[in-house]
Amino acid sequence: MTKALVLFAHGARAASWAAPFERLRDLTAARLPDCAVRLAFLELMEPRLPEAVSSLVAEGVEEVTVVPVFLGQGGHLLRDLPMLADGLRAAHPGLRLNVAGAVGEDPGVLAAMTDYCVRSVAAPE
Amino acid sequence: MTKALVLFAHGARAASWAAPFERLRDLTAARLPDCAVRLAFLELMEPRLPEAVSSLVAEGVEEVTVVPVFLGQGGHLLRDLPMLADGLRAAHPGLRLNVAGAVGEDPGVLAAMTDYCVRSVAAPE
């Protein structure tokens, strides 16, 4: 495969935290049979973004799209991710690297979160 | 209003981070005209959860549903939020307090995030 999608998440100490990101990876991979789909983390969990992208390049991937699985655009996306992306472009000059917006900024994701909030009041867990 | 929904988010140093949470609050409030809808934060932003709930109780709210606007269940939801909820129940014995699951665990939200990831590869930004 020459294309890859990297779902970039924060990371946490609790292993349970990664479960929805792993489901997201599996659901996405099922719909993109011609694209490698991987998880990578900013901190606390492995692999970190540079290692994940290096592995993909070693496998022959020529184009990587990074989707930040973050709700808001804080310092991690405003500063840390651009720095990481600059480092990746310098380390892999033949790689085409795209960085998407945060999932939480997508209107479809916002609509689904709104539905969930509305349902939570109607029938709280 | 006797019912309220509190969207509980992490908080960040960058003011821009709160934008999607404010949109989520506004979209949710538009669909729940008989329910007060507020944002509250764990850290770094105001109001914090205890202050938000105290204000609602002072306004006459009798039932509060807290929806954690988090993607994964890490230490903040496994430890911090239950401690905050215990403190709120002790401080407001007449209040009915419900705590929902994290938005990131909802199948509808996961499906919308999957759609976004798939679209990002087809047409990267």
Side-chain angles (χ1 to χ4, degrees):
Chain A
M1 288 189 261
T2 60
K3 285 182 89 169
L5 174 64
V6 175
L7 309 180
F8 177 62
H10 187 283
R13 282 178 190 82
S16 62
W17 183 85
F21 302 91
E22 291 164 354
R23 284 201 291 277
L24 179 61
R25 176 198 58 201
D26 295 346
L27 288 165
T28 304
R31 286 178 48 192
L32 294 172
D34 298 324
C35 180
V37 180
R38 305 282 163 83
L39 277 181
F41 301 94
L42 174 69
E43 58 189 33
L44 301 168
M45 286 177 163
E46 302 292 336
R48 305 296 166 89
L49 186 61
E51 287 70 46
V53 172
S54 292
S55 293
L56 288 164
V57 170
E59 293 169 30
V61 165
E62 295 166 355
E63 179 172 355
V64 170
T65 300
V66 176
V67 174
V69 191
F70 283 72
L71 289 170
Q73 300 251 28
H76 295 320
L77 298 192
L78 296 171
R79 287 187 303 274
D80 300 336
L81 181 54
M83 275 180 51
L84 286 164
D86 287 347
L88 288 168
R89 290 188 180 105
H92 308 289
L95 177 70
R96 185 166 161 205
L97 183 74
N98 313 302
V99 179
V103 296
E105 307 267 356
D106 176 63
V109 173
L110 267 175
M113 292 197 294
T114 304
D115 287 345
Y116 178 69
C117 291
V118 169
R119 283 201 313 275
S120 296
V121 173
E125 286 173 32
Chain B
M1 287 191 260
T2 60
K3 284 182 92 170
L5 175 63
V6 176
L7 309 180
F8 176 62
H10 188 281
R13 283 179 189 82
S16 63
W17 183 84
F21 302 92
E22 291 164 354
R23 285 201 290 279
L24 178 61
R25 177 198 57 201
D26 296 344
L27 288 166
T28 304
R31 287 178 48 190
L32 293 172
D34 299 324
C35 180
V37 180
R38 304 282 164 80
L39 276 181
F41 301 95
L42 175 69
E43 59 189 33
L44 301 168
M45 287 178 161
E46 302 290 338
R48 306 295 167 91
L49 186 61
E51 287 69 46
V53 172
S54 292
S55 294
L56 289 164
V57 170
E59 293 168 31
V61 165
E62 296 166 352
E63 180 172 356
V64 171
T65 300
V66 177
V67 174
V69 190
F70 284 71
L71 289 170
Q73 300 251 25
H76 296 320
L77 298 193
L78 296 171
R79 287 187 303 273
D80 300 338
L81 181 54
M83 275 180 51
L84 286 164
D86 286 348
L88 288 168
R89 290 189 178 102
H92 309 289
L95 177 71
R96 185 167 160 202
L97 183 74
N98 314 302
V99 179
V103 296
E105 306 267 357
D106 176 63
V109 173
L110 269 175
M113 292 196 294
T114 303
D115 287 345
Y116 178 68
C117 291
V118 170
R119 282 201 314 274
S120 296
V121 173
E125 287 174 32

